[in-house]
């Protein structure tokens, strides 16, 4: 099979997943009455962005390859701790988030470039 050929099974799976995706996303538009989420679901959705960001960032900070890193010899962990500490110290101000990114990079770059951590 060349790169231009696609077998029927693969094509069927792609079409099937596309149909399922369209149905799942369009399900809320099909209903005649508006959907109302319960209060517990609305409260849970408030934490979805934080949970997704944590799921993406935490493995990169805590793992090197397939094992946990040595915590005090890792520039990523120290930079993340410095950025988090600055954010919680200055939260509520307009510049807390971009400044915490700058603080994290200001800690990470010297440790990584100069010390090789």
């Amino acid at each position: 099979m060349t790169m231009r050929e696609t077998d029927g099974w693969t094509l069927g799976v792609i079409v099937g997943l596309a149909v399922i995706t369209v149905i799942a996303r369009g399900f809320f538009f099909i209903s005649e009455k508006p959907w109302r989420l319960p209060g517990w679901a609305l409260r849970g959705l408030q934490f979805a962005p934080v949970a997704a960001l944590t799921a993406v960032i935490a493995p990169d900070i805590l793992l090197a390859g397939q094992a946990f890193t040595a915590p005090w010899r890792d520039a990523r962990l120290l930079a993340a701790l410095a950025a988090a500490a600055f954010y919680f110290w200055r939260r509520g101000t307009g510049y807390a988030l971009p400044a915490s990114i700058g603080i994290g990079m200001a800690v990470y770059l010297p440790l990584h470039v100069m010390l090789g951590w």
Side-chain angles (χ1 to χ4, degrees):
M1 182 165 55
T2 64
M3 293 188 65
R4 292 189 175 184
E5 296 177 17
T6 302
D7 62 340
W9 178 254
T10 303
L11 189 59
V13 168
I14 292 171
V15 170
L17 288 173
V19 168
I20 290 172
T21 301
V22 168
I23 291 172
R25 291 179 182 240
F27 183 72
F28 298 102
F29 297 115
I30 296 171
S31 176
E32 294 178 5
K33 57 183 178 179
W35 284 75
R36 302 217 13 106
L37 289 174
W40 61 267
L42 290 173
R43 282 191 307 277
L45 286 175
Q46 291 176 348
F47 297 104
V50 173
L53 189 60
T54 303
V56 170
I57 292 175
D60 187 49
I61 292 173
L62 298 175
L63 297 175
Q66 299 295 322
F68 285 106
T69 60
W72 302 116
R73 298 265 315 161
D74 188 15
R76 297 172 301 172
L77 180 61
L78 294 175
L81 289 174
F86 180 82
Y87 176 79
F88 286 118
W89 176 51
R90 301 304 294 174
R91 95 178 127 193
T93 61
Y95 63 87
L97 186 59
S100 65
I101 294 170
I103 294 291
M105 290 306 294
V107 170
Y108 174 76
L109 285 175
L111 291 175
H112 184 69
V113 173
M114 292 180 197
L115 297 178
W117 287 9

